Amino acid sequence: MASGNGLSVVTLSSAQARDTDLMTTVTALINDVYEVAEEGLWVEGTARTTVEEVAALTRAGEITTARLEGKIVGCIRVQQLSDQVCEFGMLATSFEQRGTGIGRELVQFAEQHAREIGREVMQLEVLVPREWAHPSKEFLIRWYTRIGYQIVRKGIIEESYPDLAPHLATPCDFVVYHKSV
């Protein structure tokens, strides 16, 4: 999919998983964005993802990038959860491009992809601290709600993601949102 203003949004091919520079660039973008967006939620030094994980997701056809004049300025992971539901995650936009609509383009791409493969619902999860309000999370929740996502349930991270719980710096839950696509 190509968008206006020279922005192109394209799912990476499985062959691109072998491009170490590309995988490193995408991983760094995700980790840099999440380091700021989830500051205070994780034990210091905890990275959101690894080059190996991004390469595996790329081989699976789940990583899409946004490029502006050839430079990667955003990414998103889209996966099929069931015959009715897709989920997006790892949404990241470079700091220089914040507020320019790249995040919106990536989410619209994910929703369109879900429609094209016959899925009816797009899901996302937002990690939220249990005992305080995180400014970045509050911003995201307002944004997702504005674009049509609604809370369907709240999960306890220790139950659903027991491997992640020890890396948290503060008690957290995750909130699951759905949107009909």
Side-chain angles (χ1 to χ4, degrees), residues 7-65:
L7 182 71
S8 65
V9 178
V10 178
T11 300
L12 298 179
S13 71
S14 60
Q16 288 176 292
R18 294 189 298 272
D19 182 337
T20 305
D21 290 340
L22 176 59
M23 295 299 99
T24 300
T25 298
V26 173
T27 302
L29 172 63
I30 294 166
N31 285 336
D32 290 350
V33 168
Y34 275 79
E35 182 178 10
V36 172
E38 295 189 337
E39 184 178 13
L41 301 184
W42 300 97
V43 172
E44 193 170 326
T46 302
R48 170 63 180 85
T49 192
T50 64
V51 172
E52 294 78 17
E53 180 184 26
V54 171
L57 297 173
T58 299
R59 281 190 296 279
E62 295 180 0
I63 298 292
T64 296
T65 60

Side-chain angles (χ1 to χ4, degrees), residues 2 42 47 53 58 65 68 74 78 84 90 93 103 108 111 127 130 133 138 141 150 167 179:
W42 300 97
E53 180 184 26
T58 299
T65 60
L68 191 58
V78 183
Q84 293 184 340
M90 291 187 174
T93 302
Q108 288 173 347
E111 293 171 353
L127 182 68
R130 216 173 273 158
E138 295 296 310
I141 290 166
Q150 298 177 340
H167 300 285
K179 178 180 179 181

Side-chain angles (χ1 to χ4, degrees), residues 7 66 68 73-74 91-94 97 99-107:
L7 182 71
L68 191 58
V73 293
L91 176 62
T93 302
S94 67
Q97 297 298 325
T100 63
I102 292 170
R104 182 179 60 248
E105 290 286 338
L106 287 164
V107 171

Side-chain angles (χ1 to χ4, degrees), residues 2 6 14 16 24 33 48 53 66 95 100 103 115 119 123 125 127 135-136 138 157 159 161 178:
S14 60
Q16 288 176 292
T24 300
V33 168
R48 170 63 180 85
E53 180 184 26
F95 295 114
T100 63
R115 282 190 294 277
R119 301 310 179 262
Q123 174 175 298
E125 295 180 355
L127 182 68
S136 291
E138 295 296 310
I157 200 152
E159 292 175 3
Y161 301 102
H178 279 184

